[in-house]
Amino acid sequence: MDSLVIVDAANVVGSVPDGWWRDRHGAAERLRDALPGYVAQGLPGLVPPPLEMVLVVERAARGVESVEGVRVVPADGSGDDRIVQLVADECGGRDCLVVTADRELRERVQALGARVTGPRAVWGRERGGRRA
């Protein structure tokens, strides 16, 4: 069974002060478009390939569409609550990694058995993502 990687879009996009707040939808799309390569390559040192990639979006980014390799899941309310629900519903019995820097969310998903890493795992200069 493939590992599941859940990306907290709001937190990861917000980790780089590049003007994302002027276009939250566009910023979430840029993040989404940076993710498909990891599905086949894995996340070095964290998750071997292949993996299932889920991007959780909220508020103005809720209209972002899924693309091949990245399932986009909108949060009707709190993105953190939706991520916790996904971990509870989809991570039983398989490796699950949540990408976020949110301390409270980290604690909540770790209590359910998920591992956690920070935004640079998918959004860092060293892996071809955005410049930090």
Side-chain angles (χ1 to χ4, degrees):
M1 183 180 314
D2 295 349
S3 295
L4 177 62
V5 175
I6 302 171
V7 180
D8 179 355
N11 186 266
V12 173
V13 164
S15 69
V16 178
D18 64 355
W20 59 264
W21 52 89
R22 290 187 296 266
D23 181 11
R24 293 171 193 260
H25 187 272
E29 285 181 329
R30 287 189 296 279
L31 173 58
R32 176 207 57 201
D33 294 345
L35 298 176
Y38 294 114
V39 174
Q41 298 170 6
L43 290 170
L46 294 169
V47 181
L51 55 89
E52 179 183 357
M53 183 71 70
V54 174
L55 179 66
V56 176
V57 295
E58 58 186 278
R59 296 184 218 126
R62 281 199 315 238
V64 172
E65 302 280 331
S66 296
V67 296
E68 186 173 342
V70 180
R71 176 171 44 121
V72 177
V73 175
D76 291 330
S78 160
D80 290 1
D81 290 346
R82 186 67 177 109
I83 291 167
V84 170
Q85 180 184 5
L86 283 168
V87 169
D89 292 347
E90 298 189 26
C91 291
R94 73 180 191 171
D95 180 45
C96 187
L97 179 72
V98 175
V99 181
T100 187
D102 182 303
R103 217 175 297 158
E104 182 182 331
L105 177 58
R106 292 170 79 93
E107 292 173 3
R108 291 174 68 192
V109 297
Q110 286 174 325
L112 294 172
R115 296 183 300 126
V116 181
T117 193
R120 285 184 181 256
V122 297
W123 210 222
R125 176 178 39 214
E126 68 278 8
R127 291 190 177 84
R130 293 185 353 191
R131 293 187 176 265

